[in-house]
């Protein structure tokens, strides 16, 4: 380990230790911890040039609660509004001198939980669980598509992001689209359930897709993530699709 990394690691340990010791003292002397923490959060947003704003801020023990959070990013088609954001320190990891935060975010079409931590320039999202209403998410996306999607998407796994580029550096994610359906040309087609597995090695992401009843799909390939715009990622591989004989999709 280099001297720079050693100093940084020791500084993080010192910060955790000081926080653990001082938090009871702050509460004992009735110090305005909330105002101090809020000032630090606001300063971090400005210093890191983050497009984040919020309406209310409150502190409950070692947890933060933000409401009506606006999150903007270059790879988002429009700002993402979150009704509630809960951030809670992971005391078990903090006792081991590792600063980690349990995050719980939700809005009108999505809810997600994850454990956030930093590791050598990467933001790690571990133990991710989440779900999303496809129709409501497509309404938020706001761009005209050939078909309207329905159903619920659930995901779980781990993701590592480069803090400078925002691109994934490691991924182990499973995504399930349950009760999948599409509406096209005034017709609605029930498709079934699908599972997508993503596993990353370097800049290439391997994927496996399978499932479906009315429309059975199997496929695998790679996904090259070399651009901040997700729609510009290079998708390669093979997909086999077969419609059930009794399905209206068989006409296609």
């Amino acid at each position: 380990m280099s001297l720079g990394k050693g100093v940084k690691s020791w500084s993080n340990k010192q910060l955790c230790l000081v926080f653990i010791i001082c938090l009871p003292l702050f509460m004992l002397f009735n110090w305005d911890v909330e105002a101090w923490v809020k000032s630090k959060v606001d300063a971090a947003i400005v210093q890191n040039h983050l497009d984040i704003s919020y309406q209310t801020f409150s502190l409950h023990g070692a947890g933060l609660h933000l409401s009506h959070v606006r999150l903007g990013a270059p790879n988002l088609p429009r700002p993402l509004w979150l009704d509630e954001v809960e951030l809670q320190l992971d005391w078990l990891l903090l006792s081991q001198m590792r600063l980690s935060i349990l995050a719980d975010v939700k809005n009108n079409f999505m809810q997600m939980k994850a454990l956030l931590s930093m590791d050598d320039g990467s933001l790690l999202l571990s133990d991710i669980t989440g779900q999303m209403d496809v129709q409501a998410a497509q309404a938020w996306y706001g761009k005209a598509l050939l078909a309207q999607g329905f159903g619920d998407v659930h995901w779980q796994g781990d993701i590592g992001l480069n803090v400078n580029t925002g691109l994934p550096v490691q991924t182990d994610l499973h995504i399930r689209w349950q009760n999948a359906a599409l509406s096209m040309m005034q017709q609605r087609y029930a498709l079934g359930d699908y599972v997508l597995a993503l596993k990353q090695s370097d800049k290439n992401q391997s994927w496996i897709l399978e499932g479906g009843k009315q429309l059975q799909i199997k496929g695998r390939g790679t996904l090259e993530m070399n651009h901040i715009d997700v729609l510009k990622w290079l998708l390669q591989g093979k997909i086999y699709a077969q419609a059930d004989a009794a399905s209206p999709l068989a006409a296609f």
Side-chain angles (χ1 to χ4, degrees), residues 1 11 19 35 62 78 84 108 126-127 131 175 212 235 239:
M1 181 174 63
S11 297
F19 184 85
R78 60 177 59 189
E84 295 183 9
N108 65 323
S126 308
D127 301 326
Q131 62 184 51
I175 304 171
L235 178 65
I239 295 180

Side-chain angles (χ1 to χ4, degrees), residues 14-53:
Q14 285 182 315
L15 178 62
C16 294
L17 183 60
V18 170
F19 184 85
I20 294 173
I21 294 174
C22 291
L23 183 59
L25 296 177
F26 293 158
M27 298 174 65
L28 178 63
F29 290 102
N30 198 27
W31 187 55
D32 192 356
V33 183
E34 184 169 303
W36 181 80
V37 173
K38 183 178 183 300
S39 68
K40 296 301 180 183
V41 171
D42 292 341
I45 291 175
V46 173
Q47 292 171 3
N48 291 281
H49 309 288
L50 302 176
D51 186 6
I52 299 176
S53 61

Side-chain angles (χ1 to χ4, degrees), residues 70-108:
R70 178 190 179 277
L71 175 63
N75 55 344
L76 293 178
R78 60 177 59 189
L80 178 63
W81 287 91
L82 301 172
D83 298 328
E84 295 183 9
V85 175
E86 296 278 354
L87 303 175
Q88 186 77 25
L89 284 172
D90 188 317
W91 288 102
L92 178 59
L93 293 180
L94 193 60
S95 66
Q96 302 171 7
M97 302 306 170
R98 293 173 55 193
L99 186 58
S100 299
I101 298 175
L102 296 169
D104 185 354
V105 302
K106 63 182 68 174
N107 62 12
N108 65 323

Side-chain angles (χ1 to χ4, degrees), residues 53-56 66-70 81-84:
S53 61
Y54 56 86
Q55 183 173 325
T56 65
L66 306 176
S67 69
H68 302 290
V69 179
R70 178 190 179 277
W81 287 91
L82 301 172
D83 298 328
E84 295 183 9

